[in-house]
Amino acid sequence: GMAICAVLLSLAAQTPANASLAQYPNVVYADNFSSDIGIPGVPAGWTPVSIFALSTGQTWDASTGAYRMTAPANGFSPGTGKYGFVGSVVTGLTLGDGYVQSDVVTWQGPGAFGAFGVGSRLGNLGTPLGLTGYAIVYEPYGHSLAGDLRLENLGPPGTFNSLGALNVTLIPGNQYTFTLETTGSSIVGSLWNVGQVGTSLVGQISATDSTYASGSVGMIEVTQAPINPLVDTTWDNVLVAVPEPGTGLLLGLGLAGFLAGRRVFPKRS
């Protein structure tokens, strides 16, 4: 018990300064992929997600100390061009009420490029065209190729059901941080300048939706030909936090996985 408490205290001390995080004092997972340097493939503690768009040829790699995922647009076609999809979720973690954060350190756009974002309460991960949950997503091709930020309800009736959109043009070469908060039916997705969560907001969308109560957390990317033949995004500094009592919301996360997943290091500049 004392060892777990010490881990919790250590992680809590590294929680980013975000006013909304007062609701989520318990960090249950954090990873900046430093322990994966030099090890090709899917990083430890993560599960690849690939089947959604029936595409193939995806890549997952964290050997550089950040998590890069790519997907070609060679899958399902509704008649307007084939889709490509790639994603990854934290292994064994099911989140209900909570907070998910990840930096996006390299990305494509603005312009005719694929979408990318952070998801929570994700489900049906192994079902073709069946992904469910919530996501805050940046679409480089949105708003006449100037880019937009979208809060999405994933699943029927339209696969991507927008809960809100905001015209946002990101600066090529800059890094950003996605955050997604799910508290009951309150869904809040935000985009911040990297390292400035809570102080330098780029865009935020809030909605009320009670479709999904819990699910997995992670990052997703999707593209469609001829918009972009390959979506290619790199992620870093993933953090998941929950409200009190934290242990009561670790649905499906065993003690071994709980401890194995806690690889926390100082954020790289």
Side-chain angles (χ1 to χ4, degrees):
M2 292 184 64
I4 295 176
C5 289
V7 173
L8 285 171
L9 289 172
S10 173
L11 291 169
Q14 300 182 56
T15 302
N18 180 359
S20 66
L21 277 180
Q23 296 176 254
Y24 311 104
N26 296 314
V27 176
V28 297
Y29 186 87
D31 195 350
N32 79 351
F33 307 104
S34 291
S35 63
D36 302 291
I37 293 175
I39 305 173
V42 179
W46 289 82
T47 298
V49 182
S50 62
I51 196 65
F52 171 61
L54 298 172
S55 56
T56 60
Q58 298 96 330
T59 67
W60 298 263
D61 187 81
S63 62
T64 63
Y67 196 3
R68 181 183 181 186
M69 298 188 290
T70 72
N74 60 9
F76 171 76
S77 176
T80 54
K82 293 183 177 182
Y83 276 90
F85 172 86
V86 65
S88 193
V89 297
V90 178
T91 303
L93 175 59
T94 302
L95 190 69
D97 290 353
Y99 170 97
V100 184
Q101 170 180 316
S102 179
D103 296 343
V104 56
V105 296
T106 65
W107 50 279
Q108 301 163 299
F113 300 98
F116 52 90
V118 168
S120 186
R121 299 184 181 177
L122 300 173
N124 289 343
L125 302 179
T127 304
L129 307 178
L131 183 66
T132 60
Y134 300 103
I136 181 70
V137 175
Y138 184 68
E139 297 182 341
Y141 55 85
H143 188 45
S144 301
L145 302 183
D148 62 23
L149 186 68
R150 288 185 176 270
L151 185 62
E152 301 281 5
N153 171 316
L154 308 173
T159 308
F160 291 90
N161 309 289
S162 181
L163 298 175
L166 188 65
N167 296 336
V168 174
T169 300
L170 301 186
I171 300 173
N174 280 17
Q175 300 180 1
Y176 298 91
T177 301
F178 284 96
T179 62
L180 182 57
E181 304 167 55
T182 53
T183 308
S185 61
S186 172
I187 315 297
V188 181
S190 308
L191 189 66
W192 312 81
N193 286 305
V194 73
Q196 301 178 69
V197 173
T199 59
S200 185
L201 183 66
V202 176
Q204 185 175 80
I205 304 170
S206 302
T208 300
D209 190 279
S210 58
T211 308
Y212 307 110
S214 64
S216 298
V217 300
M219 294 82 74
I220 60 173
E221 305 171 23
V222 62
T223 192
Q224 184 184 19
I227 295 174
N228 181 25
L230 181 78
V231 63
D232 184 345
T233 313
T234 303
W235 306 88
D236 205 353
N237 301 311
V238 178
L239 182 146
V240 183
V242 298
E244 298 281 7
T247 53
L249 290 170
L250 292 174
L251 308 176
L253 183 61
L255 180 60
F258 175 75
L259 294 175
R262 314 178 84 76
R263 298 175 291 132
V264 183
F265 306 88
K267 182 184 286 291
R268 293 190 296 272
S269 60

